[in-house]
Amino acid sequence: MEPAPQELLADLYGHDQDAHFDTMQLREGMAHQMPPVQLDEFIAAVEEIGDPAVDLETATSLLNSIRQSPTSTASPARASGP
């Protein structure tokens, strides 16, 4: 079972609920926390919202949506093969 988004983001955001991180900081901070494909999808989702940096609530929401997306290449529920 994969860790919850809050667990993945806890090291980066810590106890600072008001912290904001840009995509470079997120990529560096999360590189050891998730597979590269999922990290790429997460960073793309952050970039799509158009803000230069995101808070914990936004990052958690985006990570949740990536993991629940049936089209996500990082989703374990995605069917593979022909």
Side-chain angles (χ1 to χ4, degrees), residues 8-21:
L8 290 174
L9 296 165
D11 287 341
L12 184 60
Y13 283 87
H15 297 288
D16 188 355
Q17 299 294 314
D18 294 325
H20 287 67
F21 293 96

Side-chain angles (χ1 to χ4, degrees), residues 16-56:
D16 188 355
Q17 299 294 314
D18 294 325
H20 287 67
F21 293 96
D22 64 28
T23 55
M24 182 179 293
Q25 292 168 315
L26 289 169
R27 184 173 293 282
E28 291 173 359
M30 301 296 291
H32 65 285
Q33 299 284 348
M34 63 181 65
V37 171
Q38 189 176 28
L39 180 59
D40 289 344
E41 290 178 359
F42 175 59
I43 296 301
V46 170
E47 290 173 344
E48 282 181 25
I49 64 170
D51 288 335
V54 294
D55 61 10
L56 177 59

